[in-house]
Amino acid sequence: MNDVNKTFRIGGDLEVNRLGYGAMRLTGQPRNFGPYADWKGGLALLRRAAELGVDFFDSAWSYGPETADQIVGEALAGQPVVIATKGGVDKPAPDRVVVDGSRDALDRQIDKALINLRRDQIDLFQLHRVDPDTPIETSVAALAQAQADGRIRHIGLSNITRDDLDRALSVAPIASVQNRFNMSEADDAGLVDYAAEKDIAFIPYGPLGANPMQQGAKLEPREALAWLLKRSPNIIVIPGTTAIEHLEQNWSAWDLV
C-alpha cells in the first residue's frame, strides 16, 4: 500500500481500519427521517460490513432521529467494533432541525444513545454542530463530564472551524473532527493537516462529493475513497450505502491505495 497506514488509533487507544461505514442512509426517506424501510436488509448489510473487516461505524442522534443508532446497535450488539454517534442536534420533523448543545440536551441524548446502541459506553461521542446559543466550551465541558462518568470514552466535534477546535481543546482532549471534505470540496485541507499534527482523527463526511473530479475526468467511488485514504494518515473515511454490492466495492478501495 505504498507505506499508507491502514489503521488509526482514535484517541490514542481505539485502533480502527481507516475505511469505515457511515449509517446516515440507513434511515427513512426522504430526508433521512424515520426508520429504515428494509430493516432486516439493513441489519444484514451492517453485519456484512463487519465480516469484511469494517470496525468503525458512524451514526448520529438526528439520523431518524435515533433510528440509525437503533439499527446499528441491533446489528452489531456484542461485536468488537468501534461505534461513534453524534448529539446536540435533533430532527423532530423531516424539515425541522433543532440545534441544542446545552448540558441537559447532551446528557439526555447520551443516556438514550447508550440504550439505542446497546452499549455500556459510547466509544466516540461527537458534538454534531456548534450551538450558536451555547459556547462550545460549555458543550465540551458537558461531554468531558460524561467522559469522567464513564458514559463516553472519547469526545469528537463535527462541522467546526480551527478556532472551534482550539477552544474545545482548552477544555478537554478531542479525539476526532468530522467535517465535509472530498476531492472537489477541500476547503478544510488545512484543518486536516492541523488535526494530523495533534494526532486527531479527521472523519470526512460526503467523501465522494457531488462530482469528484481529477484532471477533468469523473472518478469512480473507489478512486475518490482511495484519494482520501492517501491524503493524510489521520483520515478515516465513512462511505454510506444501502447495497451490499456497493459496500463490497467501497471496501476494495484499499486495492487502489
Side-chain angles (χ1 to χ4, degrees), residues 96-166:
R96 185 177 175 222
V97 174
V98 177
V99 181
D100 188 347
S102 67
R103 179 183 296 271
D104 286 347
L106 291 170
D107 277 342
R108 286 195 303 271
Q109 291 185 356
I110 290 169
D111 286 342
K112 192 61 182 293
L114 286 165
I115 296 170
N116 290 336
L117 293 172
R118 307 188 184 195
R119 291 279 176 126
D120 295 325
Q121 183 183 63
I122 298 170
D123 297 314
L124 176 64
F125 191 93
Q126 304 170 99
L127 181 67
H128 202 157
R129 192 178 300 175
V130 178
D131 180 355
D133 296 323
T134 304
I136 191 171
E137 292 89 346
T138 301
S139 299
V140 172
L143 298 181
Q145 183 59 57
Q147 186 179 43
D149 294 342
R151 292 181 292 157
I152 66 176
R153 185 163 184 152
H154 292 298
I155 300 169
L157 305 170
S158 185
N159 297 297
I160 62 159
T161 65
R162 174 167 169 168
D163 180 63
D164 293 329
L165 177 56
D166 285 335

Side-chain angles (χ1 to χ4, degrees), residues 4 8 43 49 72 98 110 146 157 171 177 191-192 200 213 215:
V4 174
F8 183 83
L43 295 175
V72 168
V98 177
I110 290 169
L157 305 170
V171 178
V177 170
L191 185 56
V192 172
I200 294 172
M213 303 290 288
Q215 297 178 348

Side-chain angles (χ1 to χ4, degrees), residues 66-254:
E66 297 191 66
T67 61
D69 279 1
Q70 290 165 357
I71 196 170
V72 168
E74 182 176 344
L76 303 174
Q79 296 208 34
V81 297
V82 173
I83 299 177
T85 192
K86 296 179 284 291
V89 171
D90 201 357
K91 196 170 188 178
D95 58 352
R96 185 177 175 222
V97 174
V98 177
V99 181
D100 188 347
S102 67
R103 179 183 296 271
D104 286 347
L106 291 170
D107 277 342
R108 286 195 303 271
Q109 291 185 356
I110 290 169
D111 286 342
K112 192 61 182 293
L114 286 165
I115 296 170
N116 290 336
L117 293 172
R118 307 188 184 195
R119 291 279 176 126
D120 295 325
Q121 183 183 63
I122 298 170
D123 297 314
L124 176 64
F125 191 93
Q126 304 170 99
L127 181 67
H128 202 157
R129 192 178 300 175
V130 178
D131 180 355
D133 296 323
T134 304
I136 191 171
E137 292 89 346
T138 301
S139 299
V140 172
L143 298 181
Q145 183 59 57
Q147 186 179 43
D149 294 342
R151 292 181 292 157
I152 66 176
R153 185 163 184 152
H154 292 298
I155 300 169
L157 305 170
S158 185
N159 297 297
I160 62 159
T161 65
R162 174 167 169 168
D163 180 63
D164 293 329
L165 177 56
D166 285 335
R167 290 171 59 186
L169 285 167
S170 73
V171 178
I174 301 300
S176 68
V177 170
Q178 186 169 155
N179 280 16
R180 189 171 182 86
F181 186 77
N182 52 64
M183 290 189 71
S184 57
E185 298 168 288
D187 291 345
D188 273 340
L191 185 56
V192 172
D193 297 335
Y194 186 60
E197 291 172 9
K198 295 183 174 297
D199 205 29
I200 294 172
F202 191 95
I203 307 168
Y205 67 82
L208 304 183
N211 185 28
M213 303 290 288
Q214 186 179 54
Q215 297 178 348
K218 186 172 182 178
L219 298 179
E220 64 169 276
R222 292 193 316 155
E223 293 175 293
L225 296 174
W227 179 84
L228 285 166
L229 291 167
K230 290 186 287 186
R231 170 60 179 76
S232 185
N234 65 324
I235 285 181
I236 302 171
V237 297
I238 50 168
T241 182
T242 59
I244 289 180
E245 179 184 3
H246 292 159
L247 172 75
E248 293 171 346
Q249 290 172 354
N250 289 341
W251 181 250
S252 68
W254 276 124

Side-chain angles (χ1 to χ4, degrees), residues 8-28:
F8 183 83
R9 291 183 181 272
I10 298 173
D13 63 353
L14 292 178
E15 186 170 11
V16 300
N17 192 295
R18 293 176 51 225
L19 187 49
Y21 178 84
M24 184 179 71
R25 295 187 62 192
L26 293 182
T27 51

